[in-house]
């Protein structure tokens, strides 16, 4: 897990490092998109990830681990199974720690007229618990990276403009597919590369700020264009009829440029 960039993998690796000290470097490491990781650790073939990853390898869970997995999911925890040498050995229960600002961020997105949707590979019990806590009504859980792309394409086919916020490797394809991809600056390089916009802070509230700033910027651009075109259209007949002194016209043109620049500088006061 230490070789993976996934947040859950890093949480497990951090806990293991705190307990055992430095971790060994895996050989033949491979990331299985949406499912987990695999590699050779100290000569043992290791699988770590969702239960489906272990099941696809033909490894069944003994009764004790099956009960542990069911208990984790019943309590809203993400269950991560570890197996090596063809045998399931343990289950990690990982709980999402929702940031205090997330509920406020979702409320801000709603105030902007947007519909928040939770799109996650976590199991449904975990996803729905998080959604209730932050105030999201629509949940798509237990989805693979390609399923995230499918959900976004389906929304776009319905005529919706879709903004996707993500930070993981599994979000990269969805970020590239969305009408607007926003990556957290604290996320993986793959997510940042696939996005249209990178948010410097790893706080969901920055998403609402970015959208508000974008709307303000677009309104400013439209205002500048309206002034520039309107000014010139009104002045052209006066100039053609000889009623506009060239000195006055030059001064007015300079004033027009100053107005556009000054109007744009008002964006610096955005908060």
């Amino acid at each position: 897990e230490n070789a993976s960039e996934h947040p859950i993998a890093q949480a497990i690796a951090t806990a293991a490092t705190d307990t055992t000290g430095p971790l060994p470097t895996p050989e033949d490491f491979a990331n299985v998109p949406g499912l987990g990781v695999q590699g050779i650790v100290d000569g043992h073939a290791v699988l770590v990830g969702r239960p489906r990853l272990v099941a696809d390898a033909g490894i069944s869970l003994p009764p004790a681990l099956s009960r542990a997995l069911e208990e984790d999911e019943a309590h809203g925890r993400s269950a991560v199974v570890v197996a090596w040498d063809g045998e399931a050995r343990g289950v990690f229960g990982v709980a999402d720690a929702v940031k205090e600002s997330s509920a406020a961020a979702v409320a801000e997105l709603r105030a902007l007229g947007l519909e928040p949707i939770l799109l996650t590979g976590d199991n449904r019990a975990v996803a729905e618990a998080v959604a209730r806590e932050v105030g999201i009504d629509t949940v798509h859980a237990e989805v693979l990276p390609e399923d995230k792309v499918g959900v976004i394409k389906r929304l776009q086919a319905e005529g919706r403009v879709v903004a996707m916020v993500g930070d993981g490797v599994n979000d990269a394809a969805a970020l590239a597919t969305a009408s607007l991809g926003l990556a957290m600056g604290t996320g993986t390089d793959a997510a940042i590369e696939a996005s249209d916009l990178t948010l410097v802070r790893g706080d969901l509230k920055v998403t609402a700020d970015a959208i508000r700033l974008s709307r303000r910027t677009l309104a400013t651009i439209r205002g500048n264009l309206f002034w520039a075109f309107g000014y010139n259209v009104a002045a052209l007949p006066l100039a053609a009829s000889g009623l506009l002194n060239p000195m006055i016209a030059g001064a007015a043109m300079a004033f027009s440029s100053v107005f556009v620049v000054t109007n744009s500088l008002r964006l610096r006061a955005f908060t």
Side-chain angles (χ1 to χ4, degrees), residues 11-218:
I12 293 174
T14 298
T17 301
D18 292 342
T19 303
T20 68
L23 303 177
T25 301
E27 301 173 4
D28 297 330
F29 173 84
N31 179 64
V32 184
L35 294 178
V37 294
Q38 60 187 28
I40 307 298
V41 181
D42 292 338
H44 301 280
V46 181
L47 293 172
V48 189
R50 295 171 62 176
R52 176 177 162 184
L53 176 68
V54 176
D56 288 349
I59 301 174
S60 59
L61 268 64
L65 292 187
S66 295
R67 289 194 297 270
L69 187 148
E70 292 171 359
E71 182 180 349
D72 281 334
E73 294 184 343
H75 287 82
R77 294 190 290 264
S78 295
V80 180
V81 180
V82 57
W84 64 84
D85 295 340
E87 183 178 346
R89 311 280 183 160
V91 173
F92 298 104
V94 183
D96 285 302
V98 179
K99 292 184 178 180
E100 295 180 359
S101 60
S102 295
V106 171
E108 286 189 26
L109 292 173
R110 288 190 183 278
L112 291 172
L114 306 176
E115 179 188 352
I117 296 174
L118 181 58
L119 191 60
T120 177
D122 289 343
N123 72 70
R124 181 159 296 278
V126 173
E128 291 180 347
V130 171
R132 285 193 299 270
E133 186 172 348
V134 301
I136 295 178
D137 299 325
T138 306
V139 178
H140 296 277
E142 300 178 4
V143 289
L144 298 176
E146 57 269 26
D147 298 326
K148 294 181 180 181
V149 173
V151 171
I152 291 174
K153 287 183 176 180
R154 186 166 64 251
L155 291 171
Q156 290 173 330
E158 295 173 357
R160 301 191 185 190
V161 178
V162 181
M164 167 76 182
V165 184
D167 63 358
V169 173
N170 294 336
D171 297 325
L175 287 167
T177 303
S179 309
L180 173 64
L182 300 101
M184 295 296 186
T186 54
T188 62
D189 292 339
I192 293 173
E193 183 68 26
S195 66
D196 301 299
L197 183 66
T198 301
L199 305 173
V200 177
R201 287 186 285 136
D203 188 342
L204 192 59
K205 289 188 70 175
V206 182
T207 303
D209 293 338
I211 293 174
R212 288 195 297 114
L213 177 57
S214 298
R215 290 180 176 180
R216 181 80 63 83
T217 302
L218 185 58

Side-chain angles (χ1 to χ4, degrees), residues 217-227:
T217 302
L218 185 58
T220 300
I221 292 172
R222 287 172 174 168
N224 290 342
L225 288 174
F226 176 81
W227 165 261

